[in-house]
Amino acid sequence: MTTSFPAVAAAIKTTLENQGFTKLVGAEVVSIEPGVVVMALDRRPEVLQQAGLFHGGAIAYLIDNATTAAAGTMIDRTTRSVITAEYKINLVAPSTGDRLTCRAEVVKPGRLLTVVEAKVTCRTDGEEKLVAVALATIANLDVKASGAA
Amino acid sequence: MTTSFPAVAAAIKTTLENQGFTKLVGAEVVSIEPGVVVMALDRRPEVLQQAGLFHGGAIAYLIDNATTAAAGTMIDRTTRSVITAEYKINLVAPSTGDRLTCRAEVVKPGRLLTVVEAKVTCRTDGEEKLVAVALATIANLDVKASGAA
Amino acid sequence: MTTSFPAVAAAIKTTLENQGFTKLVGAEVVSIEPGVVVMALDRRPEVLQQAGLFHGGAIAYLIDNATTAAAGTMIDRTTRSVITAEYKINLVAPSTGDRLTCRAEVVKPGRLLTVVEAKVTCRTDGEEKLVAVALATIANLDVKASGAA
Amino acid sequence: MTTSFPAVAAAIKTTLENQGFTKLVGAEVVSIEPGVVVMALDRRPEVLQQAGLFHGGAIAYLIDNATTAAAGTMIDRTTRSVITAEYKINLVAPSTGDRLTCRAEVVKPGRLLTVVEAKVTCRTDGEEKLVAVALATIANLDVKASGAA
């Protein structure tokens, strides 16, 4: 990989922030390190469900993006790209707080598939409370290959 | 259950449509039958990712809502409520079309847990193409019980 | 693919039946059709857990093998092989009956990944009762490529 | 909980070791601490697949048992019991070594559901190599309640 990591991280951040859905949801990219991506989302009525909790779909959005981006830090982006193959989410507690933070970390990089774990916390009365955990599989594609895995 | 199913379906529809996140995403509730809920989302730039596909998070949002609502059709809503415990999503093809449709169907209702399958198709050149499949576990809570599963 | 399907099915059956673990567990390959594999396991004390139900691990074994084999029917075995990437299992009812049957069916074949659903029933008082559902991702490897996905 | 933890751990160990399937597979319970259970399985031909790797079903067996047992350490066993609701397994590397070790740890105990993570390593040339990761949901049942979740 000839590109420096800061340049890679900046490219990933720009890609995420320019997604139409990221702008709609209003999420932010907190940090991008090799194998680890952190994203966050502040409470506002537009990202909640009927009981005033963060919507499960907003939590899933963070997990989807952060896990894929974490896998994306492990590849040579000049020849390969990443695509989400699948993920599983456990919602473990109600997210009653004011800010969600999703930390995705690569468990096992691979030639074809990268496995990534994620934990989502919700800042509640000043403390981070675990609200979701996830396990994702991200596929690495040759840039020249067409389409989906 | 003393409430008629049309009244139950109307109550679920209202709940879903009044969620802040549902209004933000712009999804619609297509139909609610016992054990089966269909939701849909039309293409617009705000629900896409960088390559012009529907965002995985938007697909997850549909699955989260439709599977939970499908489980919700199986309970006596005067004494119980439903909460998403977990789900797994496989993204199986790029969603290049103009409208996503998610059909969630209860596989096995249970006293504590209901298991629900979902399939998401994307209308592409007039044909429905499968783009995601999911398997979800929904918990049934006593209405008087406090908080999360 | 120049090999006839009956020859492919026979090769897959032989591979499954000669696995050390298959012989230990005592499972049988019921049928192999394009995209669909059925395996079964009869009740005996050695495959049960403490309450006299079929052990979840025995159910998982059937799902692991049947889903991978189903994906294996979709590839050209002269140049490619299949390897299980991941699966998710829901155990939906106690398996109190006398015979487990797992039916795995390909939902979406792909170049790199094949997605497979499985349903496991348990013959109970002469009727097939659903006891587990699963969703699996199987990776296709080039035969010449080394090792894991 | 009036029972001392060593007595609880001993009861769980006895239950696991007396399962017909545990005896058939030949697994051992390495340790049981509050929220953490470790199980292991030594290589022998009867637990392998066709390529000489530990069979995915044997790995799933360890995960099924260890995650459920880990959840079982968190409940009052005089009034409640645990049952596996679902789990997801990622097989991340081939298990070519001589001994599998599965460590299951509770991520979030709950009133109805306990979420447990597991990691499986394979001792290979004297080093522990990660071969699988899993995420499980275990249901807590009232002892007097009948049957499955």
Side-chain angles (χ1 to χ4, degrees), chain A residues 130-145:
Chain A
L130 185 70
V131 295
V133 291
L135 189 54
T137 309
I138 313 299
N140 300 325
L141 299 181
D142 292 336
V143 166
K144 291 176 183 172

Side-chain angles (χ1 to χ4, degrees), chain C residues 1-54:
Chain C
M1 200 184 301
T2 55
T3 317
S4 71
F5 189 76
V8 168
I12 292 173
K13 188 169 194 289
T14 298
T15 296
L16 293 173
E17 290 179 344
N18 286 339
Q19 290 177 334
F21 200 53
T22 294
K23 288 189 273 191
L24 182 71
V25 173
E28 65 187 90
V29 180
V30 175
S31 64
I32 299 178
E33 300 293 332
V36 182
V37 169
V38 179
M39 293 185 70
L41 178 64
D42 284 323
R43 169 178 286 263
R44 61 188 211 282
E46 291 82 359
V47 295
L48 305 183
Q49 42 84 288
Q50 69 278 5
L53 310 178
F54 279 91

Side-chain angles (χ1 to χ4, degrees), chain B residues 31-137:
Chain B
S31 65
I32 299 178
E33 301 293 334
V36 182
V37 169
V38 179
M39 295 186 67
L41 178 63
D42 284 324
R43 168 177 285 263
R44 60 188 213 281
E46 290 82 359
V47 295
L48 306 183
Q49 40 86 287
Q50 69 278 3
L53 310 178
F54 279 92
H55 197 288
I59 295 171
Y61 154 82
L62 287 179
I63 289 168
D64 184 301
N65 255 8
T67 56
T68 307
T73 64
M74 310 301 281
I75 59 166
D76 178 352
R77 288 162 62 88
T78 60
T79 61
R80 313 207 81 183
S81 68
V82 286
I83 189 168
T84 310
E86 63 83 37
Y87 50 92
K88 174 213 200 302
I89 299 176
N90 268 259
L91 300 168
V92 302
S95 47
T96 55
D98 57 358
R99 180 176 169 87
L100 289 178
T101 300
C102 174
R103 183 181 191 279
E105 178 166 7
V106 170
V107 178
K108 179 69 169 62
R111 193 172 48 86
L112 292 183
L113 300 174
T114 296
V115 177
V116 186
E117 288 179 338
K119 290 200 161 53
V120 181
T121 56
C122 192
R123 192 178 59 196
T124 311
D125 299 329
E127 294 195 3
E128 292 294 337
K129 185 178 75 165
L130 185 70
V131 295
V133 291
L135 189 54
T137 309

